[in-house]
Amino acid sequence: MSSRPRALWPLVAVFTAGYLASYLLPTVVGRLSAGLGLSPAQAGLAGSLLLLSSAAAGFTLASRVERFGPRRPARAGLLLAVAGYGAAALAGSVPLVVAGAMAGGFGSGTATAVAAAGIAGRPDPHRASTVGLLSVSATAGVLYLTLPHLTVPGWLGGGHALPFAAIALVAAAVWPATGKLAGGHGGDGGDGGARGAAGPLPRRRAGLVLAGGMACWALAQNALWGVSGRIGLTQAGLTEVAVGAVFAAALGAGLVGVLGAGALGGRIGRAVPIGAGTVLIAVCIAVTSASDGLVSFAGGEILWNACYPVVLSYLIGLAASLDPRGRWAVFAGSASSLGVACGPVAGSLLSERAGYAGMGLVLAVLLVLLAAPLTAVALHTAGRPLVPGAIRRRGGAPAALVAGTTGAAAGLAAPQIGAPEQPVAEFPVRSVPARLVRRRAYRPAGPDS
């Protein structure tokens, strides 16, 4: 098998199709409420069921993507997404819409699991994740600009049909890209990166803390994201077109943030972007939830969406660095999807009981508390061996430097904090008894030796 890395764009395409449903969550929840006559809490519950199904797919496939190879599960997930979201768009009754949305959500989660496993095996998972977030932010931004201006054809189910149809069409458009993914068993996720041998999950404590933290972190983000449309319409007094324009501008700011994260890379490590970024997001959520006009609503949403994908890209890169086979990346991504799923319900319940401003204050406090353990995981894993040929021991960067100067290829750069750890292939060496070693083997080297 060739060791040449596969192209990144097929993984990015599958990543976009898998993540798009959560990015369109506000318009999905809003149109379910308006088009089917559901209460805000009921519409939020329907959105949560979609995302819970997506999380279930991730947990189910976390350790199986490598066994099946990425191409087959990616195609199955995209096909299920097209069928499920298409059925939800065509249906006119609440049970059928929810069932179709859940089927589509399982397909989205399958595609996300394949993409996460593949990104973890890339030489630079942070760069791969930033490109994926860039793609999904751009796609969602275009849809937020166009969906409010489209009318629903008579053969579609109702006002809720447009976002579901859009997600299904994107999944169908991504299908040809799966032909570029590895098709055999034990594939590399489409990237050709080295995989570790089968075995137990490494760094379990750090991985569990990260997965739990990402679940709560995503819940806080999507508790606000799920009710942002209602905040703009009811509390800030904006029209649907204006709210859509604000969301598109916010996602455009997210593109700028992702580009900045890609340019910054691992120069300052992961701890500072994750910790400081999470605190800044908490401030943005408090401002957005208390907004009473266009300026405060748009300012909070735009700054929040500029920071959110930056921190998320570093969290994805951190999860990928814990296991080059991608298992922690899929587990942490699925935990994040679980938090995303619970977000709309949490946001709806909190806003009904404490108001939008009270909800924002609760979420802001939660995020500030989460910044500590997430930063601690980033600091704990920052000193791991980071270069090819690195020695796996408690030496961190010094051990990596020793390996780089003694056995690595010439010109290898010094390790950078935040860079991915490369797996080491171990070869058995047969020991030779000391009595068989001849003394002349130690003679000085020379032209006759």
Side-chain angles (χ1 to χ4, degrees):
M1 179 185 295
S2 172
S3 60
R4 182 181 179 182
R6 290 176 179 268
L8 177 61
W9 71 266
L11 282 177
V12 171
V14 175
F15 183 95
T16 301
Y19 259 78
L20 186 60
S22 62
Y23 269 67
L24 293 182
L25 187 64
T27 189
V28 168
V29 172
R31 286 177 176 264
L32 283 174
S33 179
L36 296 177
L38 302 178
S39 67
Q42 290 174 330
L45 178 60
S48 293
L49 290 175
L50 183 160
L51 296 172
L52 278 172
S53 181
S54 179
F59 285 121
T60 302
L61 295 171
S63 59
R64 294 178 172 86
V65 173
E66 190 179 30
R67 181 188 310 169
F68 298 135
R71 185 185 301 167
R72 287 194 298 170
R75 287 181 169 177
L78 293 175
L79 182 62
L80 188 58
V82 172
Y85 293 128
L90 294 171
S93 63
V94 174
L96 292 178
V97 170
V98 173
M102 291 182 67
F106 197 91
S108 293
T110 302
T112 302
V114 173
I119 286 173
R122 299 291 300 184
D124 188 351
H126 177 259
R127 175 182 174 274
S129 63
T130 55
V131 174
L133 290 172
L134 190 68
S135 174
V136 70
S137 296
T139 304
V142 170
L143 291 175
Y144 273 118
L145 284 175
T146 57
L147 288 180
H149 300 284
L150 299 177
T151 57
V152 181
W155 52 271
L156 286 179
H160 68 281
L162 283 176
F164 286 126
I167 301 171
L169 288 175
V170 170
V174 167
W175 172 274
T178 59
K180 299 295 184 180
L181 299 176
H185 294 279
D188 62 359
D191 58 3
R195 297 288 186 181
L201 278 171
R203 306 175 192 173
R204 291 197 175 190
R205 182 180 302 176
L208 289 174
V209 171
L210 178 61
M214 286 184 66
C216 297
W217 188 88
L219 182 147
Q221 311 293 323
N222 287 275
L224 178 63
W225 188 237
V227 299
S228 287
R230 298 206 298 273
I231 292 176
L233 292 172
T234 60
Q235 184 170 283
L238 306 179
T239 65
E240 183 181 3
V241 173
V243 170
V246 170
F247 286 160
L251 291 171
L255 297 178
V256 177
V258 171
L259 289 173
L264 182 63
R267 290 181 177 85
I268 60 174
R270 299 189 185 100
V272 172
I274 290 174
T278 298
V279 173
L280 183 57
I281 288 173
V283 175
C284 296
I285 286 180
V287 171
T288 302
S289 62
S291 61
D292 55 1
L294 175 61
V295 175
S296 56
F297 179 73
E301 286 282 343
I302 290 172
L303 183 58
W304 171 38
N305 280 273
C307 297
Y308 164 78
V310 175
V311 180
L312 180 59
S313 68
Y314 281 96
L315 288 172
I316 293 173
L318 177 58
S321 71
L322 296 180
D323 178 22
R325 293 181 63 200
R327 290 170 295 178
W328 275 125
V330 178
F331 275 127
S334 300
S336 177
S337 296
L338 189 62
V340 170
C342 297
V345 172
S348 298
L349 294 177
L350 283 173
S351 61
E352 287 181 357
R353 285 167 172 74
Y356 293 124
M359 174 202 69
L361 183 61
V362 172
L363 297 177
V365 171
L366 174 62
L367 284 173
V368 171
L369 295 176
L370 285 173
L374 293 176
T375 304
V377 173
L379 290 172
H380 176 68
T381 59
R384 300 292 182 178
L386 301 174
V387 297
I391 302 172
R392 290 180 180 269
R393 67 185 184 198
R394 290 186 177 273
L401 283 170
V402 171
T405 56
T406 58
L412 197 60
Q416 297 179 1
I417 298 301
E421 177 183 342
Q422 302 295 326
V424 179
E426 297 183 0
F427 297 93
V429 178
R430 186 176 60 184
S431 61
V432 180
R435 59 185 176 82
L436 298 181
V437 179
R438 293 183 297 174
R439 188 176 184 85
R440 65 187 299 268
Y442 296 99
R443 68 183 186 277
D448 297 329
S449 55

